[in-house]
Amino acid sequence: ASDSSSMEYAEDGTVKVKIPAVSQDGAVENLADFMTGVRDVRNADMQAAAESIYNFLDNISDANDLMRCLEDFEKTGNGQIILDYNILKSILTDDQAAKFFAAAHSNGVKIIAAAKDGAMTESEAKSKAQELYKAGFDGYFYKETKEKRTNDAVSIYDFALASKVDAGFVEEFTNSQSLIEKMRETRGAKILINSEVVKAINNDRSMPDKTNFIAVLKGVVLLGALNKDVNTEEFVRGAAYGLKYDLIPEMKGLSDKEIALALQAKSAADIVKMMDISETHPIALRLSMISSGVKDAQKAETLQKAYLESIAERTLVSRAVAGAIVNKTLEKALGKTLMINALTGNTAESEITADAFKEQIKQTLTGVKKKDYDAAYTTALQNGLIAKVNSLAEAAFTNKDAAALATIAELIPAIADVRFNFKMDKKTNGGFDKKMIESLLSAA
């Protein structure tokens, strides 16, 4: 990466850049490329920032409360919900719950299971894991201590990636400025209590502050609030997956295995050379952002390698899938799978072919009216894929089980929702299919 340029986020979320030295003849062209690269980095970082915010939907006792909370979430949410699983069970039938999760998953919204007063204990969560992923949840929220809502060892476990992130509650904020301060003080993923966000927004009658609140939670100000997090491993991996898919290097002439081995053996600088990208490419700019923002050279190299590993996972994904996978978690699970398979030379057979899996899904739809069949099939297929990946992830990623890895590599490319022009933005992040939800909850 070039050290002649650098970028960072100011406290208000604006990008501060050091313009690279450019030759006399190519100055304008290079500068235009550089600024395009900066925008691409910021957009990818915005996606990573959104993924680090979770909204805990509290104070729900019936379908009307849930509808109200989802309306709040649409205004302030960033694509991740934490919800008491007992509440859903009491409000919705199994069929309605399946449609509820489908409405979330079709827009990339993740739903994490919790207990009523917050996190479950780790043992409680593990004992319920199978029930939760079969229901449609994407993970669970737990802590090692029993105290209600403490920040000690609070974690979010992601079923599809068989991994956890540390998290903390963002509390005691009264306006947009104190919200930013509290977010900066909270380590790891940030958990916002829905009732507290709504209360703080309604307490301040001034329209500018209400607008500022939304800007902090869903706009560029979020990058300012999280500017201490942007050079952490979790964040840079999210940023790599947030980059537009047509910016991912092809690494032509290199096999999957050669790429995987290079990531283990070579330095970040050598891997960049293998990617064959310009100095104004967003990948090069993001690497220089890490090197200028992290003083410890060894730590900077580790972060750069983590970022490049996630970029290379996406290179492998691009060889398996034509287009952008809408569900980012499925894309990450596939990237992780293909990288392990490349390293181990996995030749195991999938537990089930994609065609046989689709047939299994069709068997569950007997009795569905013809006019409703296509929509019901799409919903059941995507929900079924997520549930299947969730059920295989621990065996695949923790135990490196060859058949589980082969099954994920078979099913996601063949079944996941893929679009050529899809990008997550603040409109799709946190969005539900509103008509589906309204009809669903009015029937509950």
Side-chain angles (χ1 to χ4, degrees):
S2 166
D3 283 321
S4 59
S5 64
S6 66
M7 59 181 284
E8 61 180 314
Y9 300 111
E11 293 201 355
D12 64 356
T14 53
V15 186
K16 296 200 288 189
V17 293
K18 178 184 163 192
I19 303 292
V22 285
S23 60
Q24 198 81 37
D25 55 343
V28 175
E29 184 186 353
N30 282 358
L31 189 57
D33 289 347
F34 175 75
M35 294 314 292
T36 300
V38 167
R39 275 193 297 275
D40 286 330
V41 170
R42 187 195 65 185
N43 290 342
D45 281 1
M46 274 296 300
Q47 179 60 33
E51 286 175 3
S52 67
I53 308 291
Y54 289 78
N55 285 61
F56 187 97
L57 303 189
D58 61 334
N59 291 355
I60 297 172
S61 57
D62 58 27
N64 288 334
D65 290 340
L66 180 56
M67 189 69 213
R68 174 183 46 76
C69 281
L70 291 174
E71 284 170 357
D72 295 335
F73 177 70
E74 197 165 35
K75 293 180 198 130
T76 62
N78 265 310
Q80 279 89 224
I81 287 172
I82 299 176
L83 188 61
D84 174 10
Y85 67 98
N86 283 316
I87 289 289
L88 269 195
K89 272 165 65 174
S90 68
I91 296 174
L92 305 176
T93 64
D94 288 350
D95 182 53
Q96 287 170 332
K99 288 176 180 169
F100 173 79
F101 284 109
H105 292 147
S106 64
N107 274 339
V109 176
K110 282 167 83 167
I111 304 183
I112 304 296
K116 188 172 184 181
D117 58 354
M120 292 181 262
T121 61
E122 190 169 8
S123 59
E124 182 190 358
K126 283 184 173 172
S127 71
K128 285 185 164 54
Q130 204 169 353
E131 179 193 342
L132 295 172
Y133 69 64
K134 280 185 174 169
F137 283 99
D138 298 289
Y140 55 73
F141 174 48
Y142 72 96
K143 60 173 176 274
E144 284 145 33
T145 55
K146 288 197 172 189
E147 289 86 30
K148 182 182 171 184
R149 211 193 276 176
T150 64
N151 275 351
D152 301 331
V154 182
S155 303
I156 293 164
Y157 183 83
D158 191 314
F159 287 136
L161 302 174
S163 63
K164 68 164 189 162
V165 293
D166 293 330
F169 284 97
V170 180
E171 298 186 284
E172 295 173 6
F173 50 87
T174 52
N175 55 32
S176 57
Q177 192 52 46
S178 64
L179 173 62
I180 290 171
E181 286 160 15
K182 295 296 180 184
M183 285 172 90
R184 288 209 177 108
E185 289 168 14
T186 308
R187 68 186 181 91
K190 325 291 179 210
I191 301 168
L192 293 157
I193 316 288
N194 183 61
S195 60
E196 292 184 14
V197 173
V198 173
K199 183 181 169 190
I201 289 175
N202 291 339
N203 274 354
D204 195 315
R205 299 290 176 200
S206 69
M207 189 47 74
D209 198 65
K210 287 186 182 185
T211 309
N212 289 346
F213 238 101
I214 304 302
V216 173
L217 294 172
K218 288 180 81 94
V220 290
V221 183
L222 185 57
L223 285 173
L226 301 184
N227 62 5
K228 287 182 181 173
D229 297 80
V230 294
N231 288 325
T232 57
E233 184 172 340
E234 193 67 36
F235 197 99
V236 299
R237 286 187 184 278
Y241 272 91
L243 204 59
K244 284 192 301 189
Y245 85 100
D246 55 359
L247 292 168
I248 301 303
E250 291 179 37
M251 300 184 79
K252 283 180 181 169
L254 292 167
S255 69
D256 288 9
K257 183 152 196 167
E258 285 169 327
I259 293 170
L261 291 172
L263 284 162
Q264 289 200 324
K266 294 185 181 290
S267 68
D270 285 340
I271 295 163
V272 172
K273 283 178 192 159
M274 292 170 73
M275 288 184 170
D276 191 26
I277 53 175
S278 71
E279 288 198 340
T280 57
H281 191 287
I283 292 172
L285 296 180
R286 191 60 175 87
L287 292 169
S288 68
M289 184 177 170
I290 293 169
S291 59
S292 61
V294 179
K295 291 184 170 62
D296 183 315
Q298 196 172 353
K299 191 181 173 192
E301 172 74 11
T302 302
L303 282 173
Q304 288 182 330
K305 287 282 292 277
Y307 178 74
L308 289 169
E309 182 180 32
S310 294
I311 293 288
E313 286 174 2
R314 294 192 68 197
T315 297
L316 303 193
V317 169
S318 72
R319 294 174 176 187
V321 178
I325 296 177
V326 174
N327 186 312
K328 277 285 162 199
T329 306
L330 285 180
E331 186 184 4
K332 289 175 186 175
L334 181 60
K336 208 169 169 177
T337 298
L338 296 176
M339 191 60 76
I340 295 168
N341 284 349
L343 267 179
T344 59
N346 184 11
T347 55
E349 285 205 8
S350 171
E351 292 171 13
I352 186 169
T353 66
D355 286 343
F357 185 82
K358 289 174 183 175
E359 203 51 49
Q360 275 187 4
I361 296 296
K362 285 174 183 170
Q363 299 304 317
T364 66
L365 299 174
T366 50
V368 175
K369 290 177 186 169
K370 194 173 180 182
K371 69 180 177 68
D372 301 326
Y373 189 85
D374 286 350
Y377 175 63
T378 303
T379 296
L381 189 61
Q382 293 306 315
N383 268 7
L385 174 63
I386 290 164
K388 184 69 174 171
V389 172
N390 288 348
S391 73
L392 294 167
E394 193 166 357
F397 304 136
T398 308
N399 307 330
K400 306 290 186 283
D401 180 87
L405 288 158
T407 307
I408 293 172
E410 160 81 11
L411 296 181
I412 293 179
I415 295 171
D417 186 8
V418 174
R419 298 177 207 171
F420 291 102
N421 59 355
F422 182 79
K423 75 179 181 72
M424 295 296 282
D425 60 27
K426 60 188 176 190
K427 290 188 184 72
T428 53
N429 260 2
F432 272 76
D433 181 332
K434 209 166 180 189
K435 280 183 182 166
M436 183 193 273
I437 291 292
E438 278 171 357
S439 64
L440 189 64
L441 295 180
S442 62

